[in-house]
Amino acid sequence: MALMDQYTLDIWRLGSHGQAPPPAPGSHEAKLLRAWWVARREARQELGSGGAAADRAAAPSAGPRADRDGARQRASRTAPRPLRRRARRA
């Protein structure tokens, strides 16, 4: 049975019993995605807040290369790599 067939059957069944219809399929996904983005942003802010300054203050500098490598490590820790789109199937 297809998703819309099941949803239509559920609407009819609940309507015949005088109950409220169920939410449409996929209607909650936007809320879940938004909550995920908010949690991700908060986690990035936590990792970025104080982490870079504390690393810099705690570790003695070994020269410009050490500073550059440390910045690269901090950047990789706080910024996730960009998402890549999947190739579409023909």
Side-chain angles (χ1 to χ4, degrees), residues 3 13 15 19 23 27-28 33-34 41-43 46 53 56 63-64 66-68 80-81 87 90:
L3 179 69
R13 182 178 46 84
Q19 297 177 356
S27 62
H28 67 287
L33 186 60
R34 174 74 179 150
R41 184 176 61 230
E42 290 172 356
E46 279 185 29
R56 211 175 303 123
D67 290 340
R68 186 174 62 234
R81 62 170 207 219

Side-chain angles (χ1 to χ4, degrees), residues 3-16 20-22:
L3 179 69
M4 287 307 294
D5 294 338
Q6 181 66 45
Y7 179 64
T8 306
L9 185 62
D10 289 341
I11 288 175
W12 174 80
R13 182 178 46 84
L14 291 172
S16 65

Side-chain angles (χ1 to χ4, degrees), residues 6 13 15 17 20 31 46 50 61 63 76-77 79 83:
Q6 181 66 45
R13 182 178 46 84
H17 292 294
K31 292 178 185 176
E46 279 185 29
S61 178
S76 68
R77 200 173 49 216
L83 299 175

